[in-house]
């Protein structure tokens, strides 16, 4: 009997830039020409059916004109496409087109696109580099920093995936002008979440400037894009792989993700998270972590953004309670919630512990009494 030790210690630098601006297609080409992807000249553009003609095809054509070999791979828009099956279809299509390890992936779209493409890039050929070109407010707030990539399963969202950092992220605020109003409002849910968990001044800014934000005025858009990146970065830099502090970014998601799944995705992600934030702040109120005025301020801001704050009648609340157990924060069969303490801070229950075990009865009581 013998043992052979395999020494594989290494230091990895996953640093990357998030560029925020307007009409960043030219910047993308400049960065590639400057060596962003080294000598790689073969690009798989991954996008959805909504973004295809708006941005993905124009970007692909510019890349071809610059001498890159480019193929565009498209899937039906919507959360229902964020599955292992769609990922496999994209991979098979890439293989059929001759893509191997000598390529890079360019994700052009919202959070579903960047989640799916980032996961694919992490496993295709055992890993190829990728770039995110974010075209929605939601992806700017939620998918720009952190490297979490995943697909959904019939049981719950985001249960299969990996941490995979892009080479660069482009937040093209100009693309927000082509979003339906409902998508803009949905994107604001993650923005409000960031304010609730980390920055009271930002919360007040959102309250005071919501009209300008919804009108997509440049100064307001610049401010929220930068604030979202800053808040998320300050968390992720301390806990890249969600071993403790990063759980705070799940504020509102225990109930929100469950609602999203139980609604069969009739609710947009941000709409579901908004309802989850109300459930969370109601639970925090019952535990004495927020005042009634603070609870009402959170609900009022969500309403000002045009987001839902009540559980739709078509959702079975007992089914919703059961679905809570599919949340990634569940430990040893116990529900765990991230809860805010006032506005702009998360409760740290023990050193490094930001999610507390909550009895099912307390969660059910909150859900059943949400008006």
């Amino acid at each position: 009997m013998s043992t052979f030790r395999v020494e594989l210690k290494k230091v990895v630098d996953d640093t990357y830039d998030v560029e925020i601006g307007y009409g960043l297609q030219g910047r993308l080409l400049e960065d590639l020409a400057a060596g962003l992807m080294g000598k790689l000249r073969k690009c798989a553009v991954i996008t959805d059916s909504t973004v295809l003609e708006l941005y993905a095809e124009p970007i692909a054509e510019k890349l071809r004109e610059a001498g890159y070999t480019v193929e565009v791979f498209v899937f039906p828009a919507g959360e229902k496409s964020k599955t292992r099956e769609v990922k496999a279809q994209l991979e098979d299509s890439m293989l059929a087109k001759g893509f191997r390890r000598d390529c890079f992936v360019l994700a052009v779209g919202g959070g579903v696109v960047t989640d799916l493409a980032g996961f694919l890039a992490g496993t295709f050929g055992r890993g190829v580099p990728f770039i995110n070109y974010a075209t929605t407010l939601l992806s700017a707030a939620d998918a720009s920093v952190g490297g979490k990539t995943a697909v959904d399963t019939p049981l719950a969202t985001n249960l299969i995936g990996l941490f995979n950092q892009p080479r660069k992220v482009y937040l093209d605020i100009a693309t927000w002008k082509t979003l339906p109003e409902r998508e803009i409002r949905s994107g604001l849910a993650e923005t409000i979440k960031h304010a609730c968990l980390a920055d009271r001044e930002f919360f007040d800014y959102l309250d005071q400037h919501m009209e300008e934000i919804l009108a997509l005025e440049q100064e307001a858009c610049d401010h929220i894009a930068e604030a979202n990146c800053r808040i998320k970065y300050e968390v992720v830099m301390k806990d890249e792989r969600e071993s403790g502090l990063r759980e705070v970014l799940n504020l509102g998601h225990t109930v929100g993700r469950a609602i999203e799944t139980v609604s069969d995705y009739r609710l947009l992600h941000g709409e579901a998270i908004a309802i989850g934030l109300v459930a969370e702040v109601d639970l925090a109120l019952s535990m004495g972590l927020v005042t009634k005025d603070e609870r009402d301020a959170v609900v009022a801001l969500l309403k000002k953004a045009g987001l839902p704050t009540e559980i739709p009648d078509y959702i079975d609340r007992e089914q919703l309670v059961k679905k809570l157990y599919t949340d990634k924060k569940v430990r040893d069969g116990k529900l765990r919630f991230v809860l805010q303490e006032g506005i702009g801070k998360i409760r740290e229950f023990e050193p490094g512990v930001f999610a507390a075990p909550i009895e099912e009865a307390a969660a059910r009581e909150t859900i059943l009494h949400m008006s």
Side-chain angles (χ1 to χ4, degrees), residues 140-315:
D142 194 35
S144 59
V145 176
K148 288 172 72 172
T149 70
V151 293
D152 302 335
T153 70
L155 181 66
T157 60
N158 293 334
L159 287 181
I160 309 294
L162 49 77
F163 291 94
N164 190 24
Q165 306 296 346
R167 291 289 177 88
K168 186 166 180 176
V169 174
Y170 299 85
L171 300 188
D172 191 345
I173 298 175
T175 64
W176 299 0
K177 291 285 188 181
T178 58
L179 292 173
E181 183 177 308
R182 186 184 178 197
E183 291 281 358
I184 293 292
R185 296 180 185 279
S186 174
L188 284 171
E190 292 283 358
T191 301
I192 293 170
K193 178 202 77 174
H194 284 153
C196 286
L197 70 89
D199 194 331
R200 177 61 197 249
E201 288 186 9
F202 185 41
F203 184 94
D204 293 337
Y205 177 89
L206 295 174
D207 187 42
Q208 294 161 12
H209 297 274
M210 187 58 68
E211 187 174 336
E212 298 100 298
I213 293 168
L214 291 172
L216 298 180
E217 293 185 9
Q218 181 171 335
E219 184 177 346
C221 289
D222 289 347
H223 186 79
I224 65 171
E226 291 169 6
N228 277 320
C229 287
R230 171 182 55 79
I231 290 168
K232 193 163 186 183
Y233 167 71
E234 288 173 353
V235 172
V236 171
M237 70 176 289
K238 298 174 184 175
D239 180 18
E240 180 187 354
R241 296 186 176 262
E242 205 170 32
S243 58
L245 176 63
R246 189 166 176 169
E247 282 192 325
V248 304
L249 297 175
N250 284 298
L251 184 71
H253 281 58
T254 301
V255 174
R257 279 296 195 181
I259 287 176
E260 187 177 13
T261 306
V262 173
S263 78
D264 196 28
Y265 304 106
R266 288 167 64 177
L267 290 169
L268 297 178
H269 174 71
E271 293 169 338
I273 296 307
I275 299 169
L277 287 170
V278 176
E280 170 273 325
V281 78
D282 281 350
L283 189 57
L285 175 62
S286 72
M287 296 172 64
L289 299 178
V290 301
T291 65
K292 179 67 162 54
D293 286 346
E294 289 167 337
R295 179 266 178 199
D296 290 347
V298 172
V299 175
L301 182 57
L302 291 166
K303 288 182 176 180
K304 187 177 285 191
L307 287 161
T309 58
E310 301 176 0
I311 299 172
D313 291 339
Y314 61 79
I315 288 181

Side-chain angles (χ1 to χ4, degrees), residues 42-46 60 64 69-73 97 99:
K42 197 167 190 177
C43 176
V45 175
I46 295 180
R64 294 185 188 107
T69 300
V70 182
E71 294 286 346
V72 179
F73 302 92
K97 290 287 188 179
F99 281 78

